[in-house]
Amino acid sequence: MAQRAGLPGGLDKMAKAWLGIEKDKVGAKLTLSLSRLSRAKATRGQLPEITEDVRARVMGYCARDVEIMAEAWSELEPWLDVDADVAAADRAVNDRGVCLDRELALALQRELARQQDVAIGVATERLKDDFNEALDYEWTPARTRRAAGSPAQVVRLAGLPNAQAETLRIACAEAKARGELPHPLVSARMALASVIPGKLVACLDRVSPDGRVRDTHAYYGAHTGRWSSKGIQLHNLPRVSFESDAERAGVSVDDYIDAACEHVVAGGELTKRDVTVLMRSVLCAAPGKVLGVLDYSGIEARANAWAAGDAKAMAVFRAVDAKTGPDPYKVMAAPIF
């Protein structure tokens, strides 16, 4: 409701912006800490002790939250029924959910694990051969995996400024230009760096007994009113063109994807690129149904231009939609930079 009113959605920011009231930050930190296991050596794995003083502090913190909401309610109430039809549709979509091809998801997990094991094995052998002299330990696959998963170790051992994806990509390109292989930890980290494993785990953890994944969308997840994802980030699923692969195979893109799905489920191997793109295929239509995929492309920029009556911007978007115009991001960036 706060977001519909053009306010921040978080209670703390809303209260500060509208009512001039700040939440109890110390109380918030204390309350969060009560659900976290201790990492101290003497008490590792234990939950914090809740004394009477702690209980009183948390109760005061919670009561303050209720007071903030009570004070804000008179201002928020008019927004309760705004977009009621969209809220109802949102509820219907989340209640219905979408079917998950569990067999494909498990097959992709197995194939990703195989690919990563191969990459870690190759990196380990290279580390043993070429990068072991200065170290007082022997490289093993487990040690390589830990090192590749640690940005600090990748930076220190590979001599990079950071372990960000773009830095790793540049390091690989520079090594290729020199006719060399990149540092083994660079290759290993790139093999491990993927959003797909986490998405597959999230899907399999959240699938209902009837084979559907539910409650994945949040209306007004962004302050502009658009949906965001929850539980599983479905709004940034990788999309890689299969046209060239399909053309080389002499089949349609749909047939290429179908064949790749059947191949991996049967235990076959895939490329990392194929695994990445097939993430979309784990979400599927129910038997006898068709799955419709809707994407409001650049909706906020277009809506803002329309609402502002910005004819020049609208002309750019119309040209883009007709596939006759330039990239709108470049049009915007040109005068800025």
Side-chain angles (χ1 to χ4, degrees):
M1 290 164 62
Q3 286 172 320
R4 293 176 192 178
L7 293 168
L11 189 62
D12 180 29
K13 292 181 179 179
M14 184 204 75
K16 190 174 180 180
W18 207 346
L19 306 172
I21 300 171
E22 289 199 38
K23 276 185 63 171
D24 178 0
K25 293 181 180 178
V26 176
K29 188 174 181 180
L30 173 64
T31 303
L32 282 173
S33 73
L34 298 180
S35 63
R36 292 175 179 164
L37 299 178
S38 171
R39 299 174 67 179
K41 190 172 182 180
T43 57
R44 189 184 304 276
Q46 296 179 20
L47 284 169
E49 181 184 0
I50 302 181
T51 64
E52 285 303 316
D53 287 345
V54 169
R55 192 190 309 276
R57 188 79 170 81
V58 171
M59 288 173 66
Y61 165 75
C62 294
R64 187 61 182 141
D65 273 5
V66 175
E67 289 171 5
I68 290 173
M69 287 191 282
E71 290 183 45
W73 179 252
S74 61
E75 301 292 338
L76 292 177
E77 190 175 14
W79 300 89
L80 181 61
D81 294 324
V82 170
D83 292 347
D85 54 343
V86 184
D90 171 70
R91 188 67 265 151
V93 167
N94 277 300
D95 285 347
R96 181 186 302 123
V98 62
C99 288
L100 179 79
D101 188 334
R102 191 170 185 275
E103 188 179 19
L104 176 59
L106 291 170
L108 291 177
Q109 275 191 326
R110 291 192 296 269
E111 176 57 12
L112 271 172
R114 184 198 66 79
Q115 291 179 5
Q116 291 179 356
D117 286 345
V118 169
I120 293 297
V122 171
T124 301
E125 291 306 311
R126 287 188 58 212
L127 287 165
K128 285 180 180 178
D129 293 341
D130 302 328
F131 297 89
N132 221 42
E133 293 181 3
L135 302 172
D136 59 356
Y137 53 76
E138 183 75 13
W139 283 101
T140 64
R143 187 183 292 278
T144 301
R145 188 178 287 271
R146 287 196 300 273
S150 165
Q153 290 195 54
V154 172
V155 166
R156 178 171 63 86
L157 295 173
L160 298 176
N162 58 63
Q164 296 174 3
E166 182 63 13
T167 302
L168 300 179
R169 187 192 65 76
I170 292 172
C172 287
E174 290 176 345
K176 184 177 180 180
R178 296 191 301 268
E180 302 171 357
L181 292 173
H183 191 284
L185 286 182
V186 172
S187 302
R189 184 167 180 83
M190 292 187 74
L192 296 177
S194 170
V195 299
I196 304 304
K199 289 184 185 295
L200 290 172
V201 169
C203 286
L204 291 167
D205 282 349
R206 289 168 173 79
V207 64
S208 300
D210 66 354
R212 287 179 174 270
V213 176
R214 293 180 168 84
D215 285 314
T216 58
H217 289 75
Y219 181 47
Y220 253 102
H223 73 278
T224 52
R226 63 173 165 80
W227 274 265
S228 65
S229 282
K230 54 183 179 179
I232 310 166
Q233 174 51 276
L234 297 179
H235 293 156
N236 69 344
L237 295 178
R239 187 196 299 274
V240 178
S241 172
F242 269 97
E243 275 78 1
S244 59
D245 295 329
E247 287 171 5
R248 281 194 293 269
V251 297
S252 69
V253 173
D254 287 348
D255 287 342
Y256 184 94
I257 293 174
D258 287 344
C261 290
E262 292 174 6
H263 179 67
V264 72
V265 168
E269 297 179 1
L270 297 176
T271 65
K272 182 179 179 181
R273 176 166 168 264
D274 283 356
V275 171
T276 300
V277 177
L278 290 186
M279 178 64 217
R280 286 178 174 266
S281 299
V282 303
L283 304 173
C284 57
K289 302 291 184 180
V290 173
L291 183 64
V293 180
L294 179 66
D295 182 6
Y296 291 115
S297 179
I299 183 64
E300 290 149 315
R302 285 165 165 77
N304 281 334
W306 174 80
D310 187 339
K312 186 176 179 181
M314 290 165 68
V316 170
F317 287 123
R318 287 193 182 100
V320 169
D321 294 338
K323 302 188 185 305
T324 60
D327 183 333
Y329 292 100
K330 292 180 180 178
V331 173
M332 178 181 70
I336 293 175
F337 295 105

